Amino acid sequence: MEQEETWAKVDEYFSARLAEPDAESEAVLNANASAGLPPYDVTLLQAKFLYMLARIHRAERILEIGTLGGFSTIWLARALPPGGSVVTLEVNAAHAETAKANFERAGVSSRITIRPGKADESLAELHDEGAAPFDFVFIDADKARNAVYFEWALRLTSSGAVIIIDNAVRNGAVLDEFSDDEDTQGVRAAVEAIRREPSVVATALQTVGSKGYDGFIMAIVDRDQQAT
Ligand code: SAH
Ligand code: DHB
Ligand code: MG
């Protein structure tokens, strides 16, 4: 078997046993494909991984940058305790509309606020509005601006918050320091921003699966400077 085929089959193996698609998840992924959205949704196993991180962390105020059809959003919303909420930012009006319909169908719309518009502007607005600090942030929009979003995430979170950045490996492209791909440079810029920031602890996790070879960066805002 080709490597990629094995990765996809292993995803299927675990998915079928540990993360069988529920009716809502299937409906969302079908709706997104039918609406012609790009296939950038996290996989079901990844969605469940995010859900589990949010649960382990007991996240109550989640910020997502990059909604698409809201597949990751719905799984993050499912992790919330009563009274918890997700704010998700999406620039593309058609994506936002698809997401909104998905939230309603999945019965989670009361826990999710979708803010249409450029993430930069929404983040500045959230800051100016004095929005209560977030305790979990999922960065998954235009990768070229990853470092900018990371800086906003720091401003909008409380100490102890978890920040996850998707698509940090890009089939190994992250290694190319002279890449002319702005998304790759965006990942590298975020890594440098994290590295320069004394108040975070961070790691990276490479992943393979049905979406190929990629990975997550994970950071914890640690303003109290616990030893690592
Ligand atoms: N989190 C989703 C996938 C997001 S794909 C999931 O896993 O299910 C990336 C999304 O970011 C796309 O919908 C794209 O329209 C959006 N996006 C790109 N640039 C953006 C920007 N500047 N501000 C807000 N959203 C943006
Ligand atoms: C791309 C974006 C994503 O969020 C993702 O998970 C996979 C690919 C992309 O822009 O190519
Ligand atoms: Mg992604």
Side-chain angles (χ1 to χ4, degrees), residues 45-84:
L45 286 168
Q46 290 172 339
K48 207 163 169 191
F49 180 71
L50 294 172
Y51 160 90
M52 297 192 71
L53 286 178
R55 274 195 57 179
I56 290 166
H57 188 57
R58 296 187 162 81
E60 294 183 14
R61 292 237 337 131
I62 299 178
L63 172 65
E64 177 180 67
I65 308 175
T67 316
L68 190 68
F71 187 57
S72 52
T73 326
I74 287 168
W75 275 92
L76 288 168
R78 285 176 172 178
L80 292 169

Side-chain angles (χ1 to χ4, degrees), residues 40-42 64 66-68 70-72 89-92 95 117-119 138 140-142 145 149:
Y40 299 159
D41 328 76
V42 288
E64 177 180 67
T67 316
L68 190 68
F71 187 57
S72 52
L89 314 181
E90 177 54 58
V91 72
N92 182 304
H95 295 182
K118 284 187 184 169
F138 181 47
D140 191 22
D142 44 338
R145 303 189 66 68
Y149 298 150

